[in-house]
Amino acid sequence: MAEAVHSFAPGMLTATDLLEAHERIRPFIHRTPVFSSTSINHLVNATVFFKCENLQKAGAFKARGATNAVQALDRQARQNGVATHSSGNHAQALTWAASIAGTKAFLVMPSNSSRVKISAVRGYGGTIVFCEPTLKAREATLSRVIKETGATEIHPYNNYRVIAGQATAALELLEDTSGLEIVMAPVGGGGLLSGTALACTYFGREIPVFGAEPELANDAYLSFTHKKLIPSRNPQTIADGLRTSLGDLTFPIILKHVSRIYTVKEESIIRAMRLIWERLKILVEPSASVPMAVLLEGHPEMKKKKIGIILSGGNADLDALPWI
Amino acid sequence: MAEAVHSFAPGMLTATDLLEAHERIRPFIHRTPVFSSTSINHLVNATVFFKCENLQKAGAFKARGATNAVQALDRQARQNGVATHSSGNHAQALTWAASIAGTKAFLVMPSNSSRVKISAVRGYGGTIVFCEPTLKAREATLSRVIKETGATEIHPYNNYRVIAGQATAALELLEDTSGLEIVMAPVGGGGLLSGTALACTYFGREIPVFGAEPELANDAYLSFTHKKLIPSRNPQTIADGLRTSLGDLTFPIILKHVSRIYTVKEESIIRAMRLIWERLKILVEPSASVPMAVLLEGHPEMKKKKIGIILSGGNADLDALPWI
């Protein structure tokens, strides 16, 4: 494995880094299918290609970045394991990636995490360290765990290896379709969106990349517009995967390579989610439905276009469907 | 197109008929993917391959049989259209198949059909003729419609072209997997199960084929055991696609080519349905979950086996999930 790729610096994520990430993770992840629906195309007056990362290992694109980060660790680091604080898909993905690499995962999770998520992490063999449900407690607990175990922190998005891994979803989408005119991805911390933008810049002949964000968690929209990082404060959107704010590694990539960020209403997210379930017969979580919500809200510049959408994840709560 | 295949007689469905059906429908249908889940394999101590007909056109395998029947019609018959009585997936599938063939579809539907199903049929351009919700009224209304329009009746399962079409799902499953030791399909009217059994007999080196049926609609189990047709009377299972009874064309094929029929409890069907949604991230309707329910109930003869399952359809009611 080339040593060069270990020495990332801001702005240094190259086309080669993305291809190497893809080679590194390919034996472990699913090459997810690309679906389409005639009735959805009619409804939005466009041709939409859905890259189904909800069908990815551990139920989300997060398995890509986590696998890339874990597989790139040296032998010493693998012995000590990996750690993160997360109550969402990254916790599951990192635990899964650690388990297939034969290394340990330490997950700092807030004490009010759902039982479903706790049991999913335990199912993959992760060690959970509970803490108070505040960012401060999460960060303090993670620091302590890392100090005690020597584990390597794998941040959910503010990490170049993670970004390179997430970029591989768009790489595959570009390979498996032709003539895309727009690519759209949801944006929370920005790992998926920044990776998607890099992939389209390097391998998609600079297809415009759009970010899709809930109005109630519009930090990326505000940061993008004002050209400076403006974090969200305790956003309440149903799209729980998008409540995080951009990081200082993802933001510059987004600023440089993303064409536009759209925000959507909560009711559009729910409508989009239900539509995808009904027409594509697949489960997506609210966060994954946000780009479809942009299409439903109707923007003239997208009419009649060939649009690729990354369906980011499928870890929906089957006991609490938002339309019931 | 070979004229020979128009002259079907009982017991005469050959390997060639199945291959011709596949060639005939291939341009129109999806070649659906085969999914698997490590966690489901662990849970049932077997290796399970799910043929995803829930991702088929119109949401169910029914599109295969309907397309085969419609595409095989001669020019005169195409002018007059096709007709059936159905309140379920066959109505949607036949309407869809007629629409892509540029012919008309007349659907006799009970007046208490769900609005979802009515609007799906209308969405594909079908003409609905409502009738009282009894089998007698449905049959009488269908006879009248056929007399008035000259349309060709396409029965949902008791039709050799339909059976040959349904067989193509198993054909593809056999092509896309290797070493299957068991193939399992749900059984209602028997179109899917008889087609699956023929495909495995002709092309699967006689892999044992099992039928899966709700205990509350066990007409196939009883007919199979007693070797004579014993219809259900108003069965109440949640698996609404399996409430119909075997037909006189499907039953002899099942008797000859199916190894065994299993029945399952309602709670196993619901548990299986939820498990498939959660682990595979795809929607399946209760009827499609019945073979998985057999695995959950646990039968020693299936342990450690490589098992193919036809997930028959995904037209679930999103407003009434059985576990909520």
Side-chain angles (χ1 to χ4, degrees):
Chain A
M1 195 180 301
E3 197 52 30
V5 296
H6 284 265
S7 57
F8 285 130
M12 294 289 286
L13 217 42
T14 65
T16 306
D17 296 327
L18 270 52
L19 294 176
E20 285 182 350
H22 204 202
E23 284 311 303
R24 191 178 290 123
I25 69 177
R26 202 195 291 271
F28 309 107
I29 61 155
H30 286 310
R31 187 174 184 109
T32 54
V34 177
F35 286 168
S36 59
S37 156
T38 311
S39 68
I40 288 179
N41 290 347
H42 279 295
L43 186 70
V44 301
N45 192 16
T47 308
V48 190
F49 297 89
F50 295 95
K51 173 67 172 169
C52 294
E53 288 297 298
N54 56 326
L55 305 177
Q56 188 50 266
K57 290 283 185 184
F61 73 93
K62 298 272 184 182
R64 296 177 181 268
T67 302
N68 192 41
V70 171
Q71 291 292 332
L73 293 175
D74 64 22
R75 192 193 298 179
Q76 177 62 49
R78 283 203 195 204
Q79 279 187 351
N80 294 343
V82 291
T84 197
H85 67 81
S86 165
S87 58
N89 285 335
H90 178 61
Q92 286 184 56
L94 186 63
T95 313
W96 172 79
S99 76
I100 57 158
T103 185
K104 292 168 282 188
F106 301 94
L107 291 304
V108 175
M109 294 177 75
S111 51
N112 61 354
S113 299
S114 76
R115 289 207 307 188
V116 176
K117 284 172 181 166
I118 292 169
S119 78
V121 166
R122 287 205 173 123
Y124 293 127
T127 301
I128 300 178
V129 183
F130 289 106
C131 69
E132 291 300 301
T134 66
L135 183 59
K136 201 173 164 186
R138 287 162 65 149
E139 288 176 344
T141 309
L142 179 60
S143 291
R144 179 171 60 75
V145 167
I146 288 172
K147 205 169 167 185
E148 287 171 8
T149 61
T152 302
E153 181 184 358
I154 309 291
H155 191 277
Y157 51 88
N158 216 35
N159 174 315
Y160 280 120
R161 288 226 183 274
V162 170
I163 295 170
Q166 320 303 32
T168 62
L171 266 188
E172 293 175 8
L173 175 64
L174 292 169
E175 283 177 6
D176 292 344
T177 56
S178 68
L180 286 185
E181 295 165 286
I182 292 168
V183 172
M184 189 152 41
V187 53
L192 179 65
L193 182 59
S194 60
T196 301
L198 288 174
C200 291
T201 299
Y202 293 141
F203 303 102
R205 284 170 298 171
E206 307 206 348
I207 297 171
V209 172
F210 296 161
E213 190 175 45
E215 219 170 80
L216 293 185
N218 66 345
D219 71 287
Y221 174 80
L222 292 176
S223 302
F224 190 78
T225 306
H226 295 284
K227 298 194 186 343
K228 64 169 186 177
L229 266 180
I230 303 174
S232 291
R233 289 190 193 169
N234 193 25
Q236 294 301 313
T237 174
I238 188 178
D240 56 346
L242 308 182
R243 289 179 192 153
T244 45
S245 299
L246 292 179
D248 62 356
L249 299 191
T250 56
F251 179 52
I253 301 172
I254 288 170
L255 203 54
K256 186 167 178 190
H257 296 291
V258 168
S259 299
R260 196 161 165 181
I261 292 178
Y262 292 84
T263 62
V264 295
K265 297 191 189 310
E266 294 291 295
E267 55 262 38
S268 303
I269 300 172
I270 296 170
R271 203 180 138 220
M273 179 175 167
R274 181 169 181 148
L275 192 72
I276 292 168
W277 286 44
E278 269 181 2
R279 305 301 166 89
L280 295 177
K281 307 296 181 196
I282 54 176
L283 271 69
V284 287
E285 56 192 79
S287 302
S289 312
V290 173
M292 182 71 225
V294 172
L295 290 182
L296 288 180
E297 290 193 355
H299 296 276
E301 64 274 23
M302 298 195 207
K303 296 296 174 210
K304 300 190 190 301
K305 290 286 197 294
K306 287 181 91 167
I307 304 172
I309 281 181
I310 318 272
L311 291 180
S312 49
N315 294 323
D317 181 351
L318 292 181
D319 289 314
L321 298 181
W323 53 78
I324 291 183
Chain B
M1 198 178 302
E3 196 53 28
V5 296
H6 285 265
S7 56
F8 285 129
M12 294 288 286
L13 216 43
T14 65
T16 306
D17 295 328
L18 270 51
L19 293 176
E20 285 181 351
H22 203 203
E23 283 312 303
R24 192 180 289 122
I25 70 177
R26 200 196 292 273
F28 309 107
I29 62 154
H30 287 310
R31 187 175 185 107
T32 54
V34 177
F35 286 168
S36 59
S37 156
T38 310
S39 67
I40 288 179
N41 290 347
H42 279 295
L43 186 69
V44 301
N45 192 15
T47 308
V48 190
F49 298 91
F50 295 96
K51 173 68 172 167
C52 293
E53 288 297 298
N54 56 327
L55 305 177
Q56 188 49 270
K57 290 282 186 184
F61 73 93
K62 297 271 185 184
R64 295 177 182 269
T67 302
N68 192 41
V70 171
Q71 292 293 332
L73 293 175
D74 64 21
R75 192 192 298 179
Q76 178 62 49
R78 283 203 194 205
Q79 279 187 352
N80 295 342
V82 290
T84 197
H85 67 80
S86 165
S87 58
N89 286 335
H90 179 62
Q92 287 184 54
L94 186 63
T95 313
W96 172 79
S99 76
I100 56 158
T103 186
K104 290 168 284 190
F106 301 94
L107 291 305
V108 174
M109 294 177 76
S111 52
N112 61 356
S113 298
S114 76
R115 289 207 308 188
V116 175
K117 284 170 179 167
I118 293 169
S119 78
V121 167
R122 286 204 172 123
Y124 293 128
T127 301
I128 300 177
V129 182
F130 288 107
C131 70
E132 291 300 300
T134 67
L135 183 59
K136 201 173 164 187
R138 287 163 63 150
E139 288 176 345
T141 309
L142 179 60
S143 291
R144 179 172 59 75
V145 166
I146 288 172
K147 205 168 167 188
E148 288 172 9
T149 61
T152 302
E153 181 184 358
I154 309 291
H155 191 278
Y157 52 88
N158 216 34
N159 174 315
Y160 280 120
R161 288 226 182 276
V162 170
I163 294 169
Q166 319 305 30
T168 61
L171 266 188
E172 293 176 6
L173 175 65
L174 292 169
E175 284 178 5
D176 293 344
T177 55
S178 69
L180 286 185
E181 295 164 286
I182 292 168
V183 172
M184 190 153 40
V187 54
L192 179 64
L193 182 60
S194 60
T196 300
L198 288 174
C200 291
T201 299
Y202 292 142
F203 304 102
R205 286 170 296 170
E206 309 207 348
I207 298 171
V209 171
F210 296 160
E213 190 176 45
E215 218 170 81
L216 293 184
N218 65 345
D219 71 288
Y221 174 79
L222 292 176
S223 302
F224 191 77
T225 306
H226 296 282
K227 298 195 185 344
K228 64 169 187 177
L229 266 180
I230 303 173
S232 291
R233 288 188 193 171
N234 192 26
Q236 294 301 314
T237 172
I238 188 178
D240 55 347
L242 308 182
R243 289 179 193 153
T244 45
S245 299
L246 293 179
D248 62 355
L249 299 191
T250 56
F251 178 51
I253 300 172
I254 287 170
L255 205 52
K256 187 167 177 189
H257 297 292
V258 167
S259 299
R260 194 162 167 181
I261 292 178
Y262 292 84
T263 61
V264 294
K265 298 191 187 312
E266 294 292 293
E267 54 263 36
S268 303
I269 300 173
I270 295 170
R271 201 179 140 220
M273 179 175 168
R274 182 172 178 145
L275 191 73
I276 293 169
W277 286 43
E278 270 182 1
R279 305 302 165 90
L280 294 176
K281 307 296 180 195
I282 54 177
L283 271 69
V284 287
E285 56 193 79
S287 303
S289 312
V290 173
M292 182 71 225
V294 173
L295 290 183
L296 288 180
E297 290 193 356
H299 296 276
E301 64 274 23
M302 300 196 205
K303 296 297 174 211
K304 301 192 189 297
K305 291 283 197 297
K306 287 181 92 168
I307 304 172
I309 281 181
I310 318 271
L311 290 180
S312 49
N315 294 323
D317 181 350
L318 291 181
D319 288 315
L321 299 182
W323 54 78
I324 292 184

